[in-house]
Amino acid sequence: QSALTQPPSASGSPGQSVTISCTGTSSDVGGYNYVSWYQQHPGKAPKLMIYEVSKRPSGVPDRFSGSKSGNTASLTVSGLQAEDEADYYCSSYAGSNNFYVVFGGGTKLTVL
Amino acid sequence: EVQLVESGGGLVQPGGSLRLSCAASGFTFSSYDMHWVRQATGKGLEWVSAIGTAGDTYYPGSVKGRFTISRENAKNSLYLQMNSLRAGDTAVYYCARASGASDAFDIWGQGTMVTVSS
């Protein structure tokens, strides 16, 4: 099972919006509404930002939103802030018969 | 406070074994699926294994037959037995709690480093 495809980098200025894509297949992203997004700052553990494509855990700012179309999921960060600079990873359920969970390669978000 | 704390990492020679532990606190451990996820230095996240509340286990092909995930609910503990270790297994290993229908990883430990080298 191949990893999900994310762009290696993305950037935006404070206050702007940026969207990160995550492309999989009909066996993972396209087959289930079970896409999650994680934020990871250097030296820290990942933090759940979005689950089930578009749901936000308690405490995650509503500047973070998720969506999906076909085999591609997206994370949008609106009103960029300096503290949003981090690595972002998508993941998807991939079925218990194969890879149970598959991650994207990660996207480094830079706030200019 | 909901918390996961990993331990057991270290330096091991190729072909060797290591057992990681993850101590859970602040929630009903037995009610949650649990996972191990690893991250090589400077690389992305890689799912390593999962165990359901009923003890069902899942692995990707890269570790199947070499790694064994287990849990001991009475001790609120998760384990990962790693055998036949290779240099490519070198990484920080995180335990993570899975929540909801999608098994999203809502709680992560701080990670424990495993280095496989001669």
Side-chain angles (χ1 to χ4, degrees):
Chain A
Q1 186 83 4
S2 301
L4 306 177
T5 300
Q6 296 181 237
S9 63
S11 63
S13 299
Q16 288 186 332
S17 295
V18 63
T19 297
I20 299 170
S21 62
C22 170
T23 301
T25 70
S26 57
S27 295
D28 38 64
V29 174
Y32 310 92
N33 287 324
Y34 290 161
V35 175
S36 300
W37 289 90
Y38 302 89
Q39 176 192 66
Q40 187 180 35
H41 287 108
K44 301 294 187 181
K47 174 186 176 183
L48 179 65
M49 304 301 284
I50 296 288
Y51 67 101
E52 293 176 19
V53 176
S54 61
K55 298 178 180 178
R56 274 188 313 276
S58 174
V60 172
D62 60 6
R63 302 184 294 103
F64 291 85
S65 62
S67 63
K68 190 186 85 167
S69 178
N71 296 335
T72 298
S74 299
L75 172 72
T76 297
V77 185
S78 305
L80 272 174
Q81 298 182 4
E83 59 262 37
D84 299 334
E85 183 162 300
D87 293 324
Y88 290 83
Y89 295 91
C90 63
S91 76
S92 176
Y93 178 74
S96 58
N97 290 331
N98 301 298
F99 274 66
Y100 190 97
V101 174
V102 62
F103 281 99
T107 297
K108 168 66 177 176
L109 174 60
T110 301
V111 181
L112 302 170
Chain B
E1 179 190 6
V2 175
Q3 195 173 10
L4 297 171
V5 178
E6 302 94 336
S7 60
L11 175 64
V12 61
Q13 292 188 340
S17 298
L18 208 57
R19 188 195 196 205
L20 305 183
S21 299
C22 171
S25 59
F27 64 98
T28 305
F29 177 73
S30 60
S31 297
Y32 290 86
D33 295 347
M34 297 295 297
H35 295 244
W36 288 97
V37 176
R38 69 184 179 185
Q39 185 174 35
T41 302
K43 302 297 184 180
L45 301 172
E46 181 186 11
W47 173 68
V48 172
S49 61
I51 186 165
T53 56
D56 44 317
T57 59
Y58 305 87
Y59 307 92
S62 58
V63 307
K64 198 168 189 177
R66 300 189 299 123
F67 290 11
T68 302
I69 188 172
S70 61
R71 64 192 302 161
E72 192 167 356
N73 291 335
K75 293 187 175 181
N76 292 330
S77 292
L78 177 72
Y79 306 102
L80 184 67
Q81 177 67 43
M82 303 185 294
N83 299 329
S84 303
L85 283 162
R86 309 164 179 166
D89 296 318
T90 295
V92 173
Y93 285 72
Y94 296 99
C95 64
R97 186 182 82 170
S99 186
S102 64
D103 262 14
F105 304 146
D106 64 341
I107 303 294
W108 296 68
Q110 85 288 352
T112 187
M113 183 71 202
V114 172
T115 303
V116 183
S117 175
S118 55

